[in-house]
Amino acid sequence: MRIRLTRIATLVSIMITVITRCNGQHDYKDALTKSIVFLECQRSGKLPPNNRVPWRGDSGLEDGQLAGVSFSLVILYIYLFFFSLLIILTKLFSWVICNQLRLIKKMQVDLVGGYYDAGDNVKYGLPMAFTVTTLAWGAIFYESQLQELGELENVRAAVKWGTDYFLKAASRHNRLYVQVGDPIQDHQCWVRPENMKTGRTVLMIDEQHPGSEIAAETAAAMAASSILFRHLFKFAGQFKGTFDGECPFYCSYSGFNDEMQWAATWLYAANRNQTYLKYIQEESIDANVGEFNWDLKYAATQILLTQLFFEGEPSLEEYKKMADSYICAVIPGSPYAQAHFTPGGLLYMRDGANLQYATAASFAFSVYGDLLAKYNQQVHCGEKQFNPQDLLAFAKQQMDYILGSNPQGRSYMVGFGNNPPTQPHHRGASVPVLPQDTVVSCARSFIDWFTKNAPNPNELTGAIVGGPDRNDYFEDRRHIGNYEEPCTYVNSLAVGPLARLAAGH
């Protein structure tokens, strides 16, 4: 009986998939709107009056107060201050301590704002900058579609929320604040950001502690947002080195050369300054790759440089071949294909938030496909050629899988389509709204909310979760992070292709 029921369930799933694929279309406009709303769910800081997420409130309003000083040192100074008062020591000693506290105050910086990257309450600079860069790129390339759909101003607001934060984080020369929050402490308490009491320690990069990946990515974010931040790029190149302070959560395994080239490309695209073109031609390091993600940006850079070549920069012709190489490594049917796919057709790179690779590929294929169509070009994979429609069809197929055209017949976007996830791995969504002064027991928080097998009390509208495994299997359980955790950059990469599809292109 159990085998028979399993077979029936499988047949029903296949029928749902076939019907969905035959009908052909999802409500792309609804998916686009909700994808942008998810980014608003991730905002940190003082929320604006037009906040569209009723269960979110102000959070992280003291972020930056621990910049430049350790928490233990603050406690020591406070202890000494009150100790001096207690034993009625000399006024001079009290003056010294007060002076030290004033010095601590001076070292503080305003780091209120920005985005939480995923389901926790830490603000990581590298993925946040990548989110803003790719969101801005989508808004630039698909501006007319977003305008037509009434979402351009919402996307601009999402970009500005990030760039406003970066202006604060880079307010001091050759210093960039790149992380707020202690991930170790944060992961020991399942609590909404509005009620968190965990340490908001700050990490930064400077001349003695370089972080070229983050500095360059932030420069790219600002350039892509049409705010030129030349000194960050110069800083990234002058003091080269990999920043590992965000490890093991966001380790840059690809090194910083791709971010340097990525940033130089955006800076050149923003103002056509020959300094950046010279860097691209003479100093940057190239690579042929088979994927695009927050850590590996060569493919996206090559597509952007190909656009500049098409627009009249002949010295960039070689990047057309490199961009083609990326397509050839991914697209099914290519003699050079390296990518792996689930039985249902989803691009599968690795366990853990795999849908980020699907939205990244969809974005890259959409942009490149439209560029090729505009300039009457094709992709050459040995003796086989792919036309723009082939690339655009692949991009659509990946987005359709996410939205419900898959063997499980379910959507992987919260609040959208058929049988979407109800238990995304996300603190703010899974914990009920509590009074701001509520003291949460971290020990009980995991029992009360994390492991509870029930839908989240707050809908994390628009979040694209981690997605199914390599066999198209998915389980809607909050504690399985690989399946359930959303990330800002998964959605930022989805905005472009969704805008294109929603506009009927």
Side-chain angles (χ1 to χ4, degrees), residues 14-257:
I14 292 173
M15 288 174 63
I16 291 172
T17 302
V18 170
I19 291 170
T20 304
R21 288 177 177 170
C22 288
N23 289 339
Q25 299 297 324
H26 297 278
D27 188 345
Y28 299 117
K29 186 180 186 305
D30 186 43
L32 171 66
T33 297
K34 289 177 175 176
S35 191
I36 299 167
V37 169
F38 166 66
L39 296 174
E40 297 174 17
C41 293
Q42 296 301 100
R43 285 175 172 172
S44 178
K46 180 74 175 176
L47 299 185
N50 63 347
N51 169 46
R52 295 192 290 177
V53 186
W55 50 269
R56 281 302 322 277
D58 300 339
S59 63
L61 298 182
E62 297 181 354
D63 283 358
Q65 290 193 7
L66 296 184
V69 62
S70 69
F71 183 73
S72 59
L73 189 58
V74 174
I75 297 299
L76 176 62
Y77 280 135
I78 293 175
Y79 171 78
L80 289 174
F81 175 71
F82 285 106
F83 182 73
S84 67
L85 293 178
L86 181 64
I87 62 176
I88 317 177
L89 291 177
T90 65
K91 292 183 179 180
L92 177 62
F93 185 72
S94 294
W95 177 84
V96 170
I97 299 301
C98 289
N99 193 51
Q100 292 296 316
L101 290 172
R102 282 194 292 269
L103 180 61
I104 292 173
K105 183 72 175 177
K106 188 176 180 180
M107 295 169 70
Q108 294 173 356
V109 62
D110 178 8
L111 295 178
V112 176
Y115 290 100
Y116 304 113
D117 77 296
D120 55 20
N121 301 328
V122 182
K123 298 191 296 197
Y124 295 99
L126 183 56
M128 191 192 306
F130 180 72
T131 295
V132 172
T133 307
T134 51
L135 190 62
W137 189 8
I140 292 167
F141 199 84
Y142 291 111
E143 181 177 4
S144 62
Q145 289 89 339
L146 288 166
Q147 180 74 56
E148 175 187 335
L149 296 162
E151 292 293 349
L152 182 59
E153 291 308 314
N154 287 326
V155 174
R156 285 176 174 169
V159 170
K160 187 176 184 297
W161 193 267
T163 55
D164 284 351
Y165 173 78
F166 293 136
L167 287 169
K168 297 178 181 181
S171 60
R172 302 185 183 184
H173 186 66
N174 282 354
R175 179 180 296 178
L176 178 66
Y177 295 96
V178 297
Q179 180 176 312
V180 180
D182 184 332
I184 303 302
Q185 290 186 32
D186 184 86
H187 286 191
Q188 293 174 356
C189 197
W190 193 262
V191 62
R192 289 164 46 82
E194 292 84 350
N195 302 106
M196 62 182 172
K197 303 297 182 184
T198 49
R200 303 298 287 171
T201 51
V202 176
L203 297 182
M204 69 177 184
I205 58 175
D206 56 20
E207 295 97 327
Q208 286 75 42
H209 310 89
S212 297
E213 298 94 340
I214 306 180
E217 183 61 61
T218 306
M222 300 304 282
S225 307
S226 299
I227 304 173
L228 303 182
F229 231 173
R230 299 180 183 88
H231 75 275
L232 267 182
F233 180 78
K234 182 179 178 181
F235 167 50
Q238 186 176 357
F239 305 99
K240 289 184 177 178
T242 290
F243 178 73
D244 59 5
E246 293 183 346
C247 281
F249 304 98
Y250 284 101
C251 305
S252 180
Y253 296 104
S254 68
F256 55 74
N257 290 312

Side-chain angles (χ1 to χ4, degrees), residues 266-294:
W266 274 112
L267 288 162
Y268 178 68
N271 70 352
R272 294 303 196 271
N273 187 315
Q274 294 297 305
T275 300
Y276 304 115
L277 180 61
K278 183 178 179 182
Y279 177 87
I280 294 165
Q281 294 170 331
E282 300 179 7
E283 297 183 54
S284 69
I285 296 174
D286 298 312
N288 290 319
V289 296
E291 68 175 278
F292 166 42
N293 60 54
W294 64 265

